[in-house]
Amino acid sequence: MKKLINDVEKVVAESLSGLAKAHADMVKLHPSVRAVLRADSPREKVAVISGGGSGHEPMHGGYVGFGMLDAACPGEVFTSPTPDQMYEAAKAVDGGKGILFIVKNYTGDIMNFQMAADMLAAEGIPVEQVVINDDVAVEDSLYTAGRRGVGGTVLAEKIVGAKAEEGGTLEEVKRMCELVNANVRSMGMALSPCTVPAAGKPTFELGPDEMEIGIGIHGEPGRHRMKIKPAREIVEMLASAIVEDLPFKAGDEVLAFVNGMGGTPLSELYIVYNDLSDFLDKKGIKIARSLVGDYITSLEMQGCSITLLRLDDEMKRLWDAPVCTPGLRWGM
């Protein structure tokens, strides 16, 4: 295992310390639990909070700041955060307008976020939750009952964060998050595994000429393993499954999101985007917004995921709204 670390036991803590020092104008660390907070919290608005295992940076701590999340709770690598992290983070950023938890559909995340929500509700703090489950690859995996939450999470955090920033009520913010989740679909693939520092060995094995289709962000297996193919054919496999699932249809306007898994060069991601654009053009589906880069990673895994979000005018407006976080920023 070759990694730029000091101590396996301190990987997450030291990474978070570096994040807070590098972006002190945007974020700060909670004084008593592992949580990333907006530097200007609390604010008189609906507080939007997410979290999950570390190893997927910049998700979620990198999306704390103006126009996105008010707090994020990171667990250990590929491990859910605890209820007390979410509870204390929510208390720290509560602006009196209620709390929205955005939860990826992983069993540990759902259970722990629900426990935190119950603790907050017992104190009279309004809390709502939306579970993101956009992955079309498999119905059940090692970590979930039902579809996994993957690429749609970042899109939801951006759009919902903008809705909260402009003063939306808790009901309005939750409804927007549900609308995004209902209209977003994702699927990913891997060319290589990744290595969790505490394990010291790859999460799975792939031959030098193999790829895994439908991979999860923790390295869990997908639909099938096969010999590697040209990017164009890979895109067709992923995009066909996505388009047929919703289904997307001719005339739809979409946000096309090509995400790197941490170890794929940007040049290759743009090849994927180019092939995706050609694929959608043939289907009569218009790309109205786009995002390309490493936004939800799986440590150093090579591969990519494709996410399509069917847009309406309100979503486009909120997507274009200013945002300033360590991992995503524009218009400020």
Side-chain angles (χ1 to χ4, degrees), residues 4 48 65 86 134 137 147 164 180 238 263 327:
L4 286 170
V48 182
M86 302 161 194
D134 56 311
R147 292 182 166 183
V180 171
L238 299 180

Side-chain angles (χ1 to χ4, degrees), residues 19 56-64 259 294-297 326-328:
L19 173 73
H56 305 303
E57 290 76 16
M59 190 174 74
H60 292 278
Y63 301 131
V64 174
N259 176 65
D294 285 334
Y295 293 98
I296 309 170
T297 63
L328 191 67

Side-chain angles (χ1 to χ4, degrees), residues 51-53 78-83 86 103-116 129 131-133 139-149 217-218 220:
F78 295 176
T79 302
S80 299
T82 60
M86 302 161 194
V103 188
K104 299 187 304 301
N105 187 28
Y106 290 96
T107 304
D109 290 4
I110 290 176
M111 178 178 66
N112 291 347
F113 268 102
Q114 183 59 59
M115 291 176 64
Q129 300 183 71
V131 175
I132 307 297
N133 55 355
E139 284 296 335
D140 297 286
S141 76
L142 299 176
Y143 292 78
T144 67
R147 292 182 166 183
R148 302 173 291 211
I217 58 174
H218 305 95
E220 61 268 43

Side-chain angles (χ1 to χ4, degrees), residues 119-181:
M119 294 162 64
L120 293 164
E123 297 183 16
I125 299 174
V127 184
E128 296 287 354
Q129 300 183 71
V130 176
V131 175
I132 307 297
N133 55 355
D134 56 311
D135 187 1
V136 306
V138 291
E139 284 296 335
D140 297 286
S141 76
L142 299 176
Y143 292 78
T144 67
R147 292 182 166 183
R148 302 173 291 211
V150 285
T153 311
V154 169
L155 307 187
E157 290 173 354
K158 168 64 186 83
I159 291 171
V160 171
K163 187 69 175 179
E165 198 71 61
E166 69 179 22
T169 66
L170 181 57
E171 180 181 350
E172 291 169 339
V173 171
K174 179 187 179 185
R175 189 184 311 124
M176 179 54 66
C177 196
E178 291 173 332
L179 184 63
V180 171
N181 188 53

